[in-house]
Amino acid sequence: MFYNGYHFWGMHLIWWFVWIVLLFWIFATPYRIPGERRAKDSPLDILQKLYAAGEINSEEYQDRKKILEGDAK
């Protein structure tokens, strides 16, 4: 009924494989879409990246973090 030689629902078995691989590639491959709007990094995120990269030391990180969080006294 649905199987006639190597044809399934009117398509050859190889075409089913091609469509499945193509759909997997489109939906499962992570990539950025050109022109996509993204949320910008918050100042705290930028501060954490600077600290992780070693551009600022621990004291400077803590001081700036307090300022950003509004807990500076």
Side-chain angles (χ1 to χ4, degrees), residues 9-47:
W9 290 287
M11 288 197 309
H12 198 273
L13 184 60
I14 294 173
W15 283 110
W16 280 106
F17 179 73
V18 169
W19 280 111
I20 290 169
V21 169
L22 181 66
L23 290 174
F24 179 79
W25 179 65
I26 289 171
F27 292 109
T29 305
Y31 60 91
R32 297 215 182 267
I33 299 171
E36 175 185 23
R37 292 185 181 184
R38 296 186 297 144
K40 298 201 188 255
D41 290 339
S42 70
L44 189 57
D45 291 336
I46 296 170
L47 181 63

